Amino acid sequence: MAVALISGGLDSMVAAALARAAGFRLLALSVDYNQRHRVELAAARRIASALGAERHVVLPLDLSAFGGSALTADIAVPKSGVAPGIPVTYVPARNTIFLSLALGWAEAAGARDLFIGVNALDYSGYPDCRPEFISAFEGLAELATKAGVEGAPFRIHAPLQHMTKADIAREAARLGLDAGLSWSCYDPAPGGVHCGLCDSCRLRQRGFAEAGLADPTAYAARP
């Protein structure tokens, strides 16, 4: 059994599908952190159902109380292209928080494997997507839990860590996934479509184009 973090995006869908393909029974965890792209939670529900998760928990945790990000505060989402540096769409410590929640559920459920769809190649520069973060959290999990102390450590799987977006799109196709179930946009346009201009939309478009695959996504605009 494995706990898979499912945000609703393409990356988390592929990571969870790889867990299933490896023979794990799935516990799916999504976090309702009052993000502006809340439509992704509906996508997460679709994905968890499509992957046959035994249980899907959508956990409320209002990170807008802290702010500090264009995804949780009244800060404009950039639309001018992927720029150097850590963008304002970075949510402070988000993956640390999410993995901590997944770790708690995993220990309670007797699972020792956690799956997360972070990527360190085609991404927006978030520090909590890097391999050294995943490795450090795995060490933390061993120190911070009863299971780890008693000799049953956890493994943090980040199977997309070194894939490009094109690789991820191809992997979705190989696994027979409907990529149209997923949601990537940070700033949904009227009518419930992807804006087409935020960093996440641009990376998604480029991934499908470079993979030579049809993009099932409806965009309000294109760069």
Side-chain angles (χ1 to χ4, degrees):
M1 182 181 295
V3 175
L5 281 162
I6 298 182
S7 67
L10 180 64
D11 293 359
S12 68
M13 177 170 70
V14 172
L18 286 169
R20 183 186 64 175
F24 288 101
R25 295 155 49 206
L26 290 182
L27 298 176
L29 177 62
S30 305
V31 182
D32 179 355
Y33 60 98
N34 206 17
Q35 59 269 53
R36 68 192 304 157
H37 51 313
R38 296 177 62 77
V39 64
E40 74 172 4
L41 293 171
R45 292 184 178 94
R46 293 193 298 267
I47 291 166
S49 176
L51 294 179
E54 294 189 7
R55 189 178 175 202
H56 181 208
V57 171
V58 180
L59 195 67
L61 182 67
D62 188 1
L63 295 183
S64 70
F66 298 159
S69 168
L71 302 189
T72 58
D74 189 17
I75 301 170
V77 172
K79 300 290 182 72
S80 58
V82 180
I86 300 172
V88 296
T89 50
Y90 164 71
V91 178
R94 178 174 58 181
N95 284 341
T96 305
I97 294 167
F98 289 3
L99 277 173
S100 297
L101 296 170
L103 177 63
W105 189 13
E107 185 168 33
R112 294 294 176 264
D113 294 88
L114 285 69
F115 280 76
I116 184 170
V118 294
N119 170 266
L121 292 183
D122 283 348
Y123 74 125
S124 295
Y126 301 148
D128 53 1
C129 288
R130 297 173 299 163
E132 50 266 48
F133 165 72
I134 296 298
S135 176
F137 193 94
E138 193 170 79
L140 170 69
E142 184 170 352
L143 292 172
T145 60
K146 178 177 182 289
V149 169
E150 292 180 348
F154 295 86
R155 185 176 178 195
I156 313 299
H157 302 261
L160 315 186
Q161 189 81 77
H162 302 292
M163 290 186 182
T164 65
K165 281 293 183 188
D167 292 334
I168 294 167
R170 292 188 194 100
E171 193 69 355
R174 184 188 71 82
L175 291 164
L177 303 176
D178 178 2
L181 295 177
S182 66
W183 181 273
S184 297
C185 182
Y186 291 149
D187 191 23
V193 299
H194 286 60
C195 76
L197 299 176
C198 69
D199 287 3
S200 189
C201 280
R202 289 171 186 265
L203 289 168
R204 183 181 176 105
Q205 290 176 56
R206 190 175 76 191
F208 280 105
E210 291 179 354
L213 296 170
D215 186 349
T217 314
Y219 298 103
R222 288 184 178 270

